[in-house]
Amino acid sequence: MRRPLATTLMAVIVATLTAACGTAEPSRSVDPPRTFGSPSAISPTASAPVDVSPGVADDDRAAIEEVAARFATAANAGDEEAVAALFAPDARFDSVGRIYPSRDDIMTRFLVPEVLRVGGRYEPGERRWDGTRLTVTYRFTTASGGREEFTYAYLVRDGLIRDVVGRYL
């Protein structure tokens, strides 16, 4: 009895794939995760602080933290000029997915109408370093009593804010 051609081809394909797959464990091309230091190096009770942002010197960290503090102070005062002066001309601001690609856009489309002109107040909270970014948690209150909590992850270079990623908590 003759088999139809399609059945024969299917049998050949299944046999080829079965032989090609084999039963051996596939090789892994991903390196195992690396660990850095001993477990006590990341313990909250460790005596030495953990450097979570390699490449950012302590002096640079202090300067970046000062820029973030000046931003909150100037914004809380409603000082449009001082706020604008903290941003590089080609700065970028991602406010929960709304992208403002320049200082002018950041000011005219976001900070002036949504923060400065509504009497918004930033209350800084936790600060942490994520790589080369300083992330600050804020509680924000408008003059009319609206409240929000969010983070700004600042990228600061040469004393100017170059990029901010804002996310709600």
Side-chain angles (χ1 to χ4, degrees), residues 83-118:
V83 171
L86 292 168
F87 287 89
D90 61 346
R92 178 183 170 277
F93 202 116
D94 172 349
S95 176
V96 194
R98 294 181 304 165
I99 308 297
Y100 304 98
S102 69
R103 175 176 52 207
D104 291 340
D105 281 339
I106 293 166
M107 293 303 294
T108 60
R109 294 179 42 224
F110 174 51
L111 291 175
V112 170
E114 295 184 34
V115 175
L116 304 174
R117 297 242 171 106
V118 298

PDB file of all heavy atoms in Angstrom, residues 83-118:
ATOM      1  N   VAL A  83      13.866  78.940  37.238  1.00  0.00           N
ATOM      2  CA  VAL A  83      13.605  77.553  36.847  1.00  0.00           C
ATOM      3  C   VAL A  83      14.183  77.307  35.455  1.00  0.00           C
ATOM      4  O   VAL A  83      14.904  76.328  35.235  1.00  0.00           O
ATOM      5  CB  VAL A  83      12.093  77.228  36.884  1.00  0.00           C
ATOM      6  CG1 VAL A  83      11.816  75.866  36.258  1.00  0.00           C
ATOM      7  CG2 VAL A  83      11.569  77.273  38.319  1.00  0.00           C
ATOM      8  N   ALA A  84      13.892  78.184  34.508  1.00  0.00           N
ATOM      9  CA  ALA A  84      14.376  78.013  33.137  1.00  0.00           C
ATOM     10  C   ALA A  84      15.904  77.975  33.092  1.00  0.00           C
ATOM     11  O   ALA A  84      16.489  77.202  32.321  1.00  0.00           O
ATOM     12  CB  ALA A  84      13.849  79.127  32.240  1.00  0.00           C
ATOM     13  N   ALA A  85      16.559  78.772  33.921  1.00  0.00           N
ATOM     14  CA  ALA A  85      18.021  78.836  33.924  1.00  0.00           C
ATOM     15  C   ALA A  85      18.662  77.528  34.377  1.00  0.00           C
ATOM     16  O   ALA A  85      19.835  77.287  34.099  1.00  0.00           O
ATOM     17  CB  ALA A  85      18.491  79.978  34.814  1.00  0.00           C
ATOM     18  N   LEU A  86      17.910  76.661  35.031  1.00  0.00           N
ATOM     19  CA  LEU A  86      18.453  75.389  35.497  1.00  0.00           C
ATOM     20  C   LEU A  86      18.483  74.317  34.407  1.00  0.00           C
ATOM     21  O   LEU A  86      19.147  73.304  34.557  1.00  0.00           O
ATOM     22  CB  LEU A  86      17.640  74.870  36.685  1.00  0.00           C
ATOM     23  CG  LEU A  86      17.778  75.694  37.959  1.00  0.00           C
ATOM     24  CD1 LEU A  86      16.726  75.281  38.977  1.00  0.00           C
ATOM     25  CD2 LEU A  86      19.180  75.542  38.537  1.00  0.00           C
ATOM     26  N   PHE A  87      17.755  74.547  33.304  1.00  0.00           N
ATOM     27  CA  PHE A  87      17.667  73.571  32.228  1.00  0.00           C
ATOM     28  C   PHE A  87      18.576  73.953  31.068  1.00  0.00           C
ATOM     29  O   PHE A  87      18.642  75.113  30.680  1.00  0.00           O
ATOM     30  CB  PHE A  87      16.227  73.470  31.708  1.00  0.00           C
ATOM     31  CG  PHE A  87      15.297  72.754  32.644  1.00  0.00           C
ATOM     32  CD1 PHE A  87      14.604  73.443  33.621  1.00  0.00           C
ATOM     33  CD2 PHE A  87      15.126  71.378  32.547  1.00  0.00           C
ATOM     34  CE1 PHE A  87      13.755  72.790  34.497  1.00  0.00           C
ATOM     35  CE2 PHE A  87      14.276  70.716  33.414  1.00  0.00           C
ATOM     36  CZ  PHE A  87      13.585  71.419  34.395  1.00  0.00           C
ATOM     37  N   ALA A  88      19.233  72.951  30.486  1.00  0.00           N
ATOM     38  CA  ALA A  88      20.001  73.164  29.258  1.00  0.00           C
ATOM     39  C   ALA A  88      19.016  73.485  28.134  1.00  0.00           C
ATOM     40  O   ALA A  88      17.861  73.044  28.173  1.00  0.00           O
ATOM     41  CB  ALA A  88      20.794  71.905  28.915  1.00  0.00           C
ATOM     42  N   PRO A  89      19.432  74.254  27.131  1.00  0.00           N
ATOM     43  CA  PRO A  89      18.519  74.580  26.025  1.00  0.00           C
ATOM     44  C   PRO A  89      17.922  73.349  25.343  1.00  0.00           C
ATOM     45  O   PRO A  89      16.770  73.357  24.939  1.00  0.00           O
ATOM     46  CB  PRO A  89      19.391  75.373  25.051  1.00  0.00           C
ATOM     47  CG  PRO A  89      20.482  75.934  25.891  1.00  0.00           C
ATOM     48  CD  PRO A  89      20.732  74.916  26.979  1.00  0.00           C
ATOM     49  N   ASP A  90      18.712  72.275  25.236  1.00  0.00           N
ATOM     50  CA  ASP A  90      18.229  71.058  24.578  1.00  0.00           C
ATOM     51  C   ASP A  90      17.799  69.986  25.589  1.00  0.00           C
ATOM     52  O   ASP A  90      17.773  68.797  25.268  1.00  0.00           O
ATOM     53  CB  ASP A  90      19.292  70.498  23.640  1.00  0.00           C
ATOM     54  CG  ASP A  90      20.580  70.122  24.369  1.00  0.00           C
ATOM     55  OD1 ASP A  90      20.763  70.520  25.547  1.00  0.00           O
ATOM     56  OD2 ASP A  90      21.418  69.433  23.762  1.00  0.00           O
ATOM     57  N   ALA A  91      17.445  70.423  26.784  1.00  0.00           N
ATOM     58  CA  ALA A  91      17.003  69.473  27.811  1.00  0.00           C
ATOM     59  C   ALA A  91      15.752  68.741  27.352  1.00  0.00           C
ATOM     60  O   ALA A  91      15.009  69.220  26.491  1.00  0.00           O
ATOM     61  CB  ALA A  91      16.726  70.207  29.124  1.00  0.00           C
ATOM     62  N   ARG A  92      15.541  67.597  27.945  1.00  0.00           N
ATOM     63  CA  ARG A  92      14.363  66.777  27.643  1.00  0.00           C
ATOM     64  C   ARG A  92      13.673  66.463  28.963  1.00  0.00           C
ATOM     65  O   ARG A  92      14.327  66.197  29.960  1.00  0.00           O
ATOM     66  CB  ARG A  92      14.824  65.481  26.972  1.00  0.00           C
ATOM     67  CG  ARG A  92      13.731  64.511  26.633  1.00  0.00           C
ATOM     68  CD  ARG A  92      14.363  63.232  26.040  1.00  0.00           C
ATOM     69  NE  ARG A  92      13.413  62.172  25.912  1.00  0.00           N
ATOM     70  CZ  ARG A  92      13.046  61.329  26.879  1.00  0.00           C
ATOM     71  NH1 ARG A  92      13.540  61.446  28.078  1.00  0.00           N
ATOM     72  NH2 ARG A  92      12.169  60.384  26.651  1.00  0.00           N
ATOM     73  N   PHE A  93      12.349  66.480  28.966  1.00  0.00           N
ATOM     74  CA  PHE A  93      11.575  66.181  30.171  1.00  0.00           C
ATOM     75  C   PHE A  93      10.477  65.200  29.778  1.00  0.00           C
ATOM     76  O   PHE A  93       9.676  65.479  28.898  1.00  0.00           O
ATOM     77  CB  PHE A  93      10.948  67.459  30.736  1.00  0.00           C
ATOM     78  CG  PHE A  93      10.580  67.383  32.190  1.00  0.00           C
ATOM     79  CD1 PHE A  93      11.220  68.197  33.106  1.00  0.00           C
ATOM     80  CD2 PHE A  93       9.585  66.529  32.643  1.00  0.00           C
ATOM     81  CE1 PHE A  93      10.883  68.159  34.449  1.00  0.00           C
ATOM     82  CE2 PHE A  93       9.239  66.481  33.985  1.00  0.00           C
ATOM     83  CZ  PHE A  93       9.895  67.303  34.897  1.00  0.00           C
ATOM     84  N   ASP A  94      10.486  64.038  30.425  1.00  0.00           N
ATOM     85  CA  ASP A  94       9.456  63.017  30.213  1.00  0.00           C
ATOM     86  C   ASP A  94       8.569  63.049  31.449  1.00  0.00           C
ATOM     87  O   ASP A  94       8.940  62.564  32.506  1.00  0.00           O
ATOM     88  CB  ASP A  94      10.119  61.650  30.037  1.00  0.00           C
ATOM     89  CG  ASP A  94       9.129  60.488  29.992  1.00  0.00           C
ATOM     90  OD1 ASP A  94       7.938  60.675  30.297  1.00  0.00           O
ATOM     91  OD2 ASP A  94       9.573  59.375  29.671  1.00  0.00           O
ATOM     92  N   SER A  95       7.410  63.661  31.311  1.00  0.00           N
ATOM     93  CA  SER A  95       6.461  63.732  32.417  1.00  0.00           C
ATOM     94  C   SER A  95       5.387  62.672  32.190  1.00  0.00           C
ATOM     95  O   SER A  95       4.412  62.900  31.482  1.00  0.00           O
ATOM     96  CB  SER A  95       5.828  65.123  32.492  1.00  0.00           C
ATOM     97  OG  SER A  95       4.835  65.150  33.507  1.00  0.00           O
ATOM     98  N   VAL A  96       5.638  61.499  32.744  1.00  0.00           N
ATOM     99  CA  VAL A  96       4.714  60.372  32.662  1.00  0.00           C
ATOM    100  C   VAL A  96       4.339  60.089  31.205  1.00  0.00           C
ATOM    101  O   VAL A  96       3.170  59.940  30.862  1.00  0.00           O
ATOM    102  CB  VAL A  96       3.467  60.603  33.538  1.00  0.00           C
ATOM    103  CG1 VAL A  96       2.694  59.308  33.728  1.00  0.00           C
ATOM    104  CG2 VAL A  96       3.830  61.196  34.880  1.00  0.00           C
ATOM    105  N   GLY A  97       5.339  60.074  30.337  1.00  0.00           N
ATOM    106  CA  GLY A  97       5.114  59.754  28.935  1.00  0.00           C
ATOM    107  C   GLY A  97       4.885  60.947  28.032  1.00  0.00           C
ATOM    108  O   GLY A  97       4.937  60.821  26.820  1.00  0.00           O
ATOM    109  N   ARG A  98       4.632  62.108  28.601  1.00  0.00           N
ATOM    110  CA  ARG A  98       4.530  63.322  27.774  1.00  0.00           C
ATOM    111  C   ARG A  98       5.945  63.870  27.648  1.00  0.00           C
ATOM    112  O   ARG A  98       6.564  64.248  28.646  1.00  0.00           O
ATOM    113  CB  ARG A  98       3.621  64.358  28.435  1.00  0.00           C
ATOM    114  CG  ARG A  98       2.177  63.918  28.523  1.00  0.00           C
ATOM    115  CD  ARG A  98       1.308  64.976  29.163  1.00  0.00           C
ATOM    116  NE  ARG A  98       1.835  65.313  30.485  1.00  0.00           N
ATOM    117  CZ  ARG A  98       1.495  66.386  31.181  1.00  0.00           C
ATOM    118  NH1 ARG A  98       0.623  67.246  30.692  1.00  0.00           N
ATOM    119  NH2 ARG A  98       2.006  66.619  32.366  1.00  0.00           N
ATOM    120  N   ILE A  99       6.446  63.935  26.432  1.00  0.00           N
ATOM    121  CA  ILE A  99       7.837  64.320  26.197  1.00  0.00           C
ATOM    122  C   ILE A  99       7.908  65.786  25.779  1.00  0.00           C
ATOM    123  O   ILE A  99       7.233  66.207  24.838  1.00  0.00           O
ATOM    124  CB  ILE A  99       8.484  63.451  25.101  1.00  0.00           C
ATOM    125  CG1 ILE A  99       8.298  61.958  25.401  1.00  0.00           C
ATOM    126  CG2 ILE A  99       9.955  63.816  24.902  1.00  0.00           C
ATOM    127  CD1 ILE A  99       8.959  61.474  26.660  1.00  0.00           C
ATOM    128  N   TYR A 100       8.764  66.525  26.470  1.00  0.00           N
ATOM    129  CA  TYR A 100       9.040  67.921  26.136  1.00  0.00           C
ATOM    130  C   TYR A 100      10.515  67.967  25.729  1.00  0.00           C
ATOM    131  O   TYR A 100      11.393  67.747  26.561  1.00  0.00           O
ATOM    132  CB  TYR A 100       8.755  68.832  27.339  1.00  0.00           C
ATOM    133  CG  TYR A 100       7.337  68.661  27.835  1.00  0.00           C
ATOM    134  CD1 TYR A 100       7.057  67.841  28.919  1.00  0.00           C
ATOM    135  CD2 TYR A 100       6.285  69.285  27.184  1.00  0.00           C
ATOM    136  CE1 TYR A 100       5.754  67.663  29.362  1.00  0.00           C
ATOM    137  CE2 TYR A 100       4.972  69.109  27.622  1.00  0.00           C
ATOM    138  CZ  TYR A 100       4.721  68.297  28.708  1.00  0.00           C
ATOM    139  OH  TYR A 100       3.423  68.113  29.129  1.00  0.00           O
ATOM    140  N   PRO A 101      10.812  68.225  24.431  1.00  0.00           N
ATOM    141  CA  PRO A 101      12.163  68.040  23.906  1.00  0.00           C
ATOM    142  C   PRO A 101      13.106  69.236  24.014  1.00  0.00           C
ATOM    143  O   PRO A 101      14.206  69.186  23.475  1.00  0.00           O
ATOM    144  CB  PRO A 101      11.901  67.697  22.439  1.00  0.00           C
ATOM    145  CG  PRO A 101      10.658  68.457  22.110  1.00  0.00           C
ATOM    146  CD  PRO A 101       9.833  68.437  23.369  1.00  0.00           C
ATOM    147  N   SER A 102      12.700  70.302  24.684  1.00  0.00           N
ATOM    148  CA  SER A 102      13.594  71.466  24.810  1.00  0.00           C
ATOM    149  C   SER A 102      13.202  72.277  26.043  1.00  0.00           C
ATOM    150  O   SER A 102      12.100  72.122  26.568  1.00  0.00           O
ATOM    151  CB  SER A 102      13.490  72.360  23.567  1.00  0.00           C
ATOM    152  OG  SER A 102      12.212  72.988  23.527  1.00  0.00           O
ATOM    153  N   ARG A 103      14.128  73.131  26.463  1.00  0.00           N
ATOM    154  CA  ARG A 103      13.834  74.005  27.604  1.00  0.00           C
ATOM    155  C   ARG A 103      12.584  74.841  27.335  1.00  0.00           C
ATOM    156  O   ARG A 103      11.727  74.984  28.210  1.00  0.00           O
ATOM    157  CB  ARG A 103      15.028  74.920  27.910  1.00  0.00           C
ATOM    158  CG  ARG A 103      14.718  75.924  29.007  1.00  0.00           C
ATOM    159  CD  ARG A 103      15.906  76.777  29.399  1.00  0.00           C
ATOM    160  NE  ARG A 103      16.512  77.403  28.249  1.00  0.00           N
ATOM    161  CZ  ARG A 103      17.791  77.758  28.186  1.00  0.00           C
ATOM    162  NH1 ARG A 103      18.603  77.558  29.200  1.00  0.00           N
ATOM    163  NH2 ARG A 103      18.271  78.329  27.104  1.00  0.00           N
ATOM    164  N   ASP A 104      12.470  75.393  26.127  1.00  0.00           N
ATOM    165  CA  ASP A 104      11.293  76.207  25.803  1.00  0.00           C
ATOM    166  C   ASP A 104      10.008  75.406  25.941  1.00  0.00           C
ATOM    167  O   ASP A 104       9.027  75.885  26.514  1.00  0.00           O
ATOM    168  CB  ASP A 104      11.412  76.796  24.395  1.00  0.00           C
ATOM    169  CG  ASP A 104      12.497  77.859  24.303  1.00  0.00           C
ATOM    170  OD1 ASP A 104      12.889  78.418  25.349  1.00  0.00           O
ATOM    171  OD2 ASP A 104      12.963  78.117  23.177  1.00  0.00           O
ATOM    172  N   ASP A 105       9.993  74.163  25.412  1.00  0.00           N
ATOM    173  CA  ASP A 105       8.809  73.319  25.538  1.00  0.00           C
ATOM    174  C   ASP A 105       8.533  72.953  26.996  1.00  0.00           C
ATOM    175  O   ASP A 105       7.384  72.935  27.434  1.00  0.00           O
ATOM    176  CB  ASP A 105       8.957  72.038  24.721  1.00  0.00           C
ATOM    177  CG  ASP A 105       8.691  72.238  23.243  1.00  0.00           C
ATOM    178  OD1 ASP A 105       8.017  73.222  22.889  1.00  0.00           O
ATOM    179  OD2 ASP A 105       9.157  71.408  22.447  1.00  0.00           O
ATOM    180  N   ILE A 106       9.582  72.617  27.725  1.00  0.00           N
ATOM    181  CA  ILE A 106       9.427  72.266  29.139  1.00  0.00           C
ATOM    182  C   ILE A 106       8.749  73.410  29.886  1.00  0.00           C
ATOM    183  O   ILE A 106       7.804  73.194  30.657  1.00  0.00           O
ATOM    184  CB  ILE A 106      10.798  71.933  29.773  1.00  0.00           C
ATOM    185  CG1 ILE A 106      11.372  70.655  29.173  1.00  0.00           C
ATOM    186  CG2 ILE A 106      10.673  71.814  31.295  1.00  0.00           C
ATOM    187  CD1 ILE A 106      12.852  70.436  29.478  1.00  0.00           C
ATOM    188  N   MET A 107       9.220  74.614  29.623  1.00  0.00           N
ATOM    189  CA  MET A 107       8.672  75.770  30.340  1.00  0.00           C
ATOM    190  C   MET A 107       7.277  76.140  29.852  1.00  0.00           C
ATOM    191  O   MET A 107       6.350  76.264  30.659  1.00  0.00           O
ATOM    192  CB  MET A 107       9.619  76.971  30.198  1.00  0.00           C
ATOM    193  CG  MET A 107      10.963  76.787  30.895  1.00  0.00           C
ATOM    194  SD  MET A 107      10.851  76.424  32.665  1.00  0.00           S
ATOM    195  CE  MET A 107      10.152  77.962  33.270  1.00  0.00           C
ATOM    196  N   THR A 108       7.108  76.328  28.532  1.00  0.00           N
ATOM    197  CA  THR A 108       5.838  76.874  28.034  1.00  0.00           C
ATOM    198  C   THR A 108       4.696  75.856  28.014  1.00  0.00           C
ATOM    199  O   THR A 108       3.539  76.241  28.193  1.00  0.00           O
ATOM    200  CB  THR A 108       5.995  77.457  26.610  1.00  0.00           C
ATOM    201  OG1 THR A 108       6.433  76.416  25.723  1.00  0.00           O
ATOM    202  CG2 THR A 108       6.985  78.606  26.597  1.00  0.00           C
ATOM    203  N   ARG A 109       5.018  74.590  27.818  1.00  0.00           N
ATOM    204  CA  ARG A 109       3.957  73.593  27.716  1.00  0.00           C
ATOM    205  C   ARG A 109       3.730  72.804  28.996  1.00  0.00           C
ATOM    206  O   ARG A 109       2.706  72.150  29.138  1.00  0.00           O
ATOM    207  CB  ARG A 109       4.262  72.626  26.567  1.00  0.00           C
ATOM    208  CG  ARG A 109       4.228  73.325  25.202  1.00  0.00           C
ATOM    209  CD  ARG A 109       4.554  72.406  24.027  1.00  0.00           C
ATOM    210  NE  ARG A 109       3.936  71.101  24.136  1.00  0.00           N
ATOM    211  CZ  ARG A 109       4.571  69.953  23.865  1.00  0.00           C
ATOM    212  NH1 ARG A 109       5.836  69.955  23.484  1.00  0.00           N
ATOM    213  NH2 ARG A 109       3.948  68.804  23.961  1.00  0.00           N
ATOM    214  N   PHE A 110       4.693  72.846  29.937  1.00  0.00           N
ATOM    215  CA  PHE A 110       4.546  72.039  31.146  1.00  0.00           C
ATOM    216  C   PHE A 110       4.700  72.855  32.431  1.00  0.00           C
ATOM    217  O   PHE A 110       3.720  73.093  33.136  1.00  0.00           O
ATOM    218  CB  PHE A 110       5.527  70.860  31.119  1.00  0.00           C
ATOM    219  CG  PHE A 110       5.547  70.048  32.381  1.00  0.00           C
ATOM    220  CD1 PHE A 110       4.372  69.564  32.944  1.00  0.00           C
ATOM    221  CD2 PHE A 110       6.738  69.761  33.023  1.00  0.00           C
ATOM    222  CE1 PHE A 110       4.388  68.820  34.128  1.00  0.00           C
ATOM    223  CE2 PHE A 110       6.770  69.015  34.191  1.00  0.00           C
ATOM    224  CZ  PHE A 110       5.597  68.531  34.738  1.00  0.00           C
ATOM    225  N   LEU A 111       5.909  73.276  32.746  1.00  0.00           N
ATOM    226  CA  LEU A 111       6.147  73.855  34.064  1.00  0.00           C
ATOM    227  C   LEU A 111       5.393  75.163  34.321  1.00  0.00           C
ATOM    228  O   LEU A 111       4.832  75.340  35.398  1.00  0.00           O
ATOM    229  CB  LEU A 111       7.650  74.046  34.301  1.00  0.00           C
ATOM    230  CG  LEU A 111       8.439  72.747  34.466  1.00  0.00           C
ATOM    231  CD1 LEU A 111       9.932  73.033  34.577  1.00  0.00           C
ATOM    232  CD2 LEU A 111       7.944  71.945  35.652  1.00  0.00           C
ATOM    233  N   VAL A 112       5.373  76.063  33.357  1.00  0.00           N
ATOM    234  CA  VAL A 112       4.661  77.331  33.584  1.00  0.00           C
ATOM    235  C   VAL A 112       3.161  77.090  33.781  1.00  0.00           C
ATOM    236  O   VAL A 112       2.605  77.475  34.813  1.00  0.00           O
ATOM    237  CB  VAL A 112       4.956  78.358  32.468  1.00  0.00           C
ATOM    238  CG1 VAL A 112       4.039  79.565  32.588  1.00  0.00           C
ATOM    239  CG2 VAL A 112       6.419  78.791  32.533  1.00  0.00           C
ATOM    240  N   PRO A 113       2.477  76.425  32.841  1.00  0.00           N
ATOM    241  CA  PRO A 113       1.032  76.285  33.023  1.00  0.00           C
ATOM    242  C   PRO A 113       0.613  75.287  34.103  1.00  0.00           C
ATOM    243  O   PRO A 113      -0.421  75.481  34.749  1.00  0.00           O
ATOM    244  CB  PRO A 113       0.520  75.835  31.656  1.00  0.00           C
ATOM    245  CG  PRO A 113       1.689  75.194  30.993  1.00  0.00           C
ATOM    246  CD  PRO A 113       2.904  75.914  31.527  1.00  0.00           C
ATOM    247  N   GLU A 114       1.388  74.215  34.317  1.00  0.00           N
ATOM    248  CA  GLU A 114       0.937  73.157  35.212  1.00  0.00           C
ATOM    249  C   GLU A 114       1.549  73.195  36.601  1.00  0.00           C
ATOM    250  O   GLU A 114       1.077  72.493  37.499  1.00  0.00           O
ATOM    251  CB  GLU A 114       1.197  71.793  34.578  1.00  0.00           C
ATOM    252  CG  GLU A 114       0.387  71.555  33.315  1.00  0.00           C
ATOM    253  CD  GLU A 114       0.581  70.170  32.748  1.00  0.00           C
ATOM    254  OE1 GLU A 114       0.767  69.213  33.537  1.00  0.00           O
ATOM    255  OE2 GLU A 114       0.539  70.029  31.513  1.00  0.00           O
ATOM    256  N   VAL A 115       2.585  73.992  36.784  1.00  0.00           N
ATOM    257  CA  VAL A 115       3.248  74.048  38.084  1.00  0.00           C
ATOM    258  C   VAL A 115       3.305  75.488  38.601  1.00  0.00           C
ATOM    259  O   VAL A 115       2.740  75.814  39.639  1.00  0.00           O
ATOM    260  CB  VAL A 115       4.675  73.451  38.017  1.00  0.00           C
ATOM    261  CG1 VAL A 115       5.413  73.623  39.331  1.00  0.00           C
ATOM    262  CG2 VAL A 115       4.625  71.982  37.619  1.00  0.00           C
ATOM    263  N   LEU A 116       3.995  76.333  37.853  1.00  0.00           N
ATOM    264  CA  LEU A 116       4.284  77.676  38.357  1.00  0.00           C
ATOM    265  C   LEU A 116       3.040  78.561  38.452  1.00  0.00           C
ATOM    266  O   LEU A 116       2.861  79.272  39.439  1.00  0.00           O
ATOM    267  CB  LEU A 116       5.355  78.338  37.489  1.00  0.00           C
ATOM    268  CG  LEU A 116       6.665  77.534  37.373  1.00  0.00           C
ATOM    269  CD1 LEU A 116       7.606  78.188  36.390  1.00  0.00           C
ATOM    270  CD2 LEU A 116       7.312  77.361  38.727  1.00  0.00           C
ATOM    271  N   ARG A 117       2.188  78.511  37.464  1.00  0.00           N
ATOM    272  CA  ARG A 117       1.019  79.394  37.458  1.00  0.00           C
ATOM    273  C   ARG A 117      -0.143  78.878  38.302  1.00  0.00           C
ATOM    274  O   ARG A 117      -1.107  79.597  38.508  1.00  0.00           O
ATOM    275  CB  ARG A 117       0.560  79.655  36.029  1.00  0.00           C
ATOM    276  CG  ARG A 117       1.621  80.382  35.209  1.00  0.00           C
ATOM    277  CD  ARG A 117       1.192  81.734  34.726  1.00  0.00           C
ATOM    278  NE  ARG A 117       2.288  82.460  34.130  1.00  0.00           N
ATOM    279  CZ  ARG A 117       2.452  82.673  32.833  1.00  0.00           C
ATOM    280  NH1 ARG A 117       1.559  82.208  31.964  1.00  0.00           N
ATOM    281  NH2 ARG A 117       3.495  83.349  32.390  1.00  0.00           N
ATOM    282  N   VAL A 118      -0.051  77.634  38.762  1.00  0.00           N
ATOM    283  CA  VAL A 118      -1.103  77.103  39.637  1.00  0.00           C
ATOM    284  C   VAL A 118      -0.669  77.143  41.100  1.00  0.00           C
ATOM    285  O   VAL A 118      -1.352  76.604  41.966  1.00  0.00           O
ATOM    286  CB  VAL A 118      -1.533  75.664  39.250  1.00  0.00           C
ATOM    287  CG1 VAL A 118      -2.121  75.626  37.856  1.00  0.00           C
ATOM    288  CG2 VAL A 118      -0.407  74.679  39.418  1.00  0.00           C
TER     289      VAL A 118
END
